[in-house]
Amino acid sequence: MVDVILGLQWGDEGKGKIVDYFAPEYDVIARFQGGPNAGHTLYIDKKKMVLHQIPSGIFHENKINLIGNGVVLDPVTLKRECESVAGLGVDYKKNLFISERAHLILPTHRALDKASETAKGNEKIGSTLKGISPAYMDKTGRNGLRVGDLLDKSFITQYIRLRLKHQKLLENFSFTEDISDWEEEFFAALEFLKELQIVNGEYFINDKIQQGKKILAEGAQGSMLDVDFGTFPFVTSSSTISAGVCTGLGIAPQKIKEVLGVTKAYCTRVGSGPFPTELNDEAGESLRQIGNEFGSTTGRPRRCGWIDLVALQFACMINGVTQLVMTKADVMDSLDTLQVCTSYNVNGQEQSQIPFQMSRIKIEPVYKAFDGWKTDITGLKTFADLPEKMKIYIGYLDKTLGVPIKYISNGPGSDQIIMAS
Ligand code: GDP
Ligand code: IMO
Ligand code: MG
């Protein structure tokens, strides 16, 4: 059977830590979408590690980690990351597998991402500049190069042809930066990639399922960044929701069992786009400082705000979430009052659904206030130990979302997690 862990907000919910926590219960940990725009933070023996391309199960011995066909792969980032996990004793040559159908991110994709963002000016998406959108455009535009193509004699010819297309586009953007260094690194990384275990991902994973192995699919980004259901156009370019597991790994829908949705106890977003509950004041700054809300991939300050139950209910619906994991509850330990957005007010009308176009309308969040628990929860181990006021907060979310909060993360450490009773 296949279980899924994915983000319900705008990314950075703490998926990496949660996948690492559950990895011992599984045989295979598989990324199904996204690319090096992801930054998943784990603490391995108290040492901080941020993974961009490699699944978050890599630090567990004898666990298979698969980069699925739905991922876009930057060989340069992958090589760097393999070298850094090897420094912590990981045998990536044994435990890491890559689908031959995963699309490659070329140096010109990164250049196109940058050129396109610059051309958008004030309307820029705030992309991570990792080449994600151009790489997915080449996938759906049927131009892209895949990992499996590397092993073909015609690879260089195909590469040159695509590079030429990209160059014409870059000229239209008046992009003049020299990318020859990027290209040199890219070709060195391709040689490295060729030596890794490149597999037919869909047979590989279905064989494992047939053998009764347990699969954990790891999402990147968050549901509100999904290309179909997110706050378009301020989204990423892949299917970040549970349906993406099927297309991103080659798994049939009925194989999926549990969908664990990860949400912060508040909310953050990095990059541009609508964020109804954003706090542009001291309260937001305080969440940023206490929660250390700075991007794991780009270092940008994350925008912070209150938890948004309209968005969370929507995310639970489109993902079929069966269990919730709440992270960073400890960040709110010192607050006197917390707010929960229960509906939106749009032009004087209260609504509980996500509007079609969130960026062109003014949304005023309707809040319900809760007393803060004013207790340091970072050392607590059981649900019974949690302060009563926190249990009230959790109970309200459970009831409103109609999905139980099964786990509460009370610190970044790998052992800081409490199972709800
Ligand atoms: P991901 O992209 O969803 O894996 O999340 P990121 O790693 O980008 O961001 C989550 C950040 O919060 C990281 O710095 C984690 O170490 C940290 N973190 C995760 N869970 C908790 C928690 O329960 N409490 C606190 N204080 N930090 C957490
Ligand atoms: P993880 O997996 C938070 C955001 C970018 C930008 C938008 C599009 O760590 O949660 P892209 O580079 O994908 O074209 O950028 O999506 N974004 C993320 N925000 N966490 C992420 O990943 C993100 N990946 C992309 O900031 O707003
Ligand atoms: Mg992240």
Side-chain angles (χ1 to χ4, degrees), residues 10-12 15 37-40 125-128 220-221 235-236 270 300:
W10 281 279
D12 302 330
K15 300 173 292 292
N37 47 351
H40 296 177
I125 305 294
S127 116
T128 57
Q221 291 77 56
V235 294
T236 189
V270 61
R300 292 177 290 176

Side-chain angles (χ1 to χ4, degrees), residues 11-18 38-43 48 50 221 264 290-293 295-296 302 326-331 408-413 416:
D12 302 330
E13 298 89 348
K15 300 173 292 292
K17 169 188 159 159
I18 303 302
H40 296 177
T41 314
L42 331 177
Y43 281 86
K48 182 175 169 176
V50 181
Q221 291 77 56
K264 282 178 184 167
I290 301 172
N292 192 23
E293 295 295 359
S296 316
R302 294 178 185 145
M326 179 190 270
T327 57
K328 307 197 88 161
D330 54 295
V331 173
I408 297 141
S409 170
N410 57 337
Q416 286 173 299

Side-chain angles (χ1 to χ4, degrees), residues 125-196:
I125 305 294
S127 116
T128 57
L129 304 179
K130 304 292 179 192
I132 304 299
S133 150
Y136 277 114
M137 277 164 74
D138 270 340
K139 176 177 178 173
T140 50
R142 299 166 294 187
N143 289 313
L145 294 174
R146 300 181 292 173
V147 170
D149 294 329
L150 265 180
L151 310 173
D152 198 284
K153 279 202 296 289
S154 67
F155 180 79
I156 279 292
T157 318
Q158 291 182 57
Y159 175 82
I160 292 170
R161 209 179 293 150
L162 187 54
R163 191 193 194 285
L164 215 62
K165 268 192 191 175
H166 290 166
Q167 260 168 341
K168 287 193 185 127
L169 292 171
L170 287 167
E171 277 162 28
N172 284 343
F173 279 120
S174 307
F175 183 92
T176 52
E177 249 177 76
D178 178 16
I179 60 162
S180 48
D181 282 356
W182 296 2
E183 244 182 342
E184 205 173 300
E185 262 188 324
F186 176 75
F187 277 100
L190 288 183
E191 292 309 310
F192 175 86
L193 174 55
K194 276 189 204 165
E195 300 300 316
L196 300 182

Side-chain angles (χ1 to χ4, degrees), residues 241-262:
I241 62 169
S242 54
V245 174
C246 298
T247 54
L249 292 175
I251 285 173
Q254 63 270 36
K255 298 280 181 345
I256 296 175
K257 201 170 155 226
E258 298 295 328
V259 179
L260 275 77
V262 187

Side-chain angles (χ1 to χ4, degrees), residues 75-92:
V76 178
T77 309
L78 181 73
K79 176 170 181 278
R80 210 175 289 146
E81 213 160 279
C82 282
E83 288 162 355
S84 83
V85 300
L88 292 174
V90 170
D91 186 357
Y92 61 82

